């Protein structure tokens, strides 16, 4: 259960939801985790990969992790406390550059596996 919202950030710090690439400054990725009584109730590292409309990964070359048996770069990461209680989580990513028109795709990973995918189209 993953969805993305684009925001512009006002000088007051307030976030305003937008649909245009020219005004967007950050993406907020909201996701839930399916209850799993077998999953360890502990902290888990979540990795976010963001692909721009041209299909290029937006990432720092030093940000590496392993998933699905291969070494990959990631855009952003966070740690969450998983308690098997239907908690919703949010990862914010502020674009250091400008957003361009088109569809941005994201993939979330944890514990070495793909966790979810979503996309957002900015006009």
């Amino acid at each position: 259960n993953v969805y993305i919202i684009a925001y512009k950030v006002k000088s007051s710090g307030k976030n305003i939801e937008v649909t245009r690439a020219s005004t967007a400054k950050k993406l907020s990725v909201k996701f839930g985790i399916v209850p799993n009584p077998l999953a360890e109730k502990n902290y888990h590292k979540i990795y976010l990969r963001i692909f721009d409309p041209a299909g290029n990964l937006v990432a720092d070359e030093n940000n590496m992790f392993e998933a699905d048996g291969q070494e990959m770069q990631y855009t952003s990461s966070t740690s969450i406390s998983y308690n098997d209680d239907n908690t919703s989580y949010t990862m914010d990513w502020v674009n250091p550059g400008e957003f361009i028109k088109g569809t941005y795709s994201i993939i979330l990973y944890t514990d070495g596996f793909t966790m979810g995918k979503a996309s957002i189209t900015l006009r």
Side-chain angles (χ1 to χ4, degrees), residues 75-99:
T75 306
S76 179
S77 68
T78 190
S79 288
I80 62 163
S81 175
Y82 177 71
N83 297 312
D84 197 21
D85 59 1
N86 277 336
T87 302
S88 289
Y89 303 95
T90 302
M91 283 182 78
D92 289 335
W93 175 71
V94 176
N95 190 348
E98 298 292 319
F99 281 99

Side-chain angles (χ1 to χ4, degrees), residues 23-107:
T23 56
K25 188 60 189 158
K26 81 175 186 180
L27 296 180
S28 190
V29 179
K30 300 181 186 297
F31 60 97
I33 299 176
V34 177
N36 181 350
L38 301 176
E40 188 179 349
K41 291 182 174 98
N42 201 342
Y43 286 94
H44 294 270
K45 188 95 167 179
I46 307 292
Y47 296 96
L48 170 68
R49 299 181 85 206
I50 298 177
F51 295 89
D52 70 14
N56 300 314
L57 175 66
V58 181
D60 182 321
E61 63 187 36
N62 298 323
N63 293 348
M64 300 298 286
F65 75 110
E66 192 172 308
D68 300 328
Q70 59 186 14
E71 191 83 7
M72 294 191 243
Q73 290 179 298
Y74 64 90
T75 306
S76 179
S77 68
T78 190
S79 288
I80 62 163
S81 175
Y82 177 71
N83 297 312
D84 197 21
D85 59 1
N86 277 336
T87 302
S88 289
Y89 303 95
T90 302
M91 283 182 78
D92 289 335
W93 175 71
V94 176
N95 190 348
E98 298 292 319
F99 281 99
I100 55 175
K101 290 181 182 181
T103 301
Y104 285 79
S105 300
I106 66 107
I107 306 173

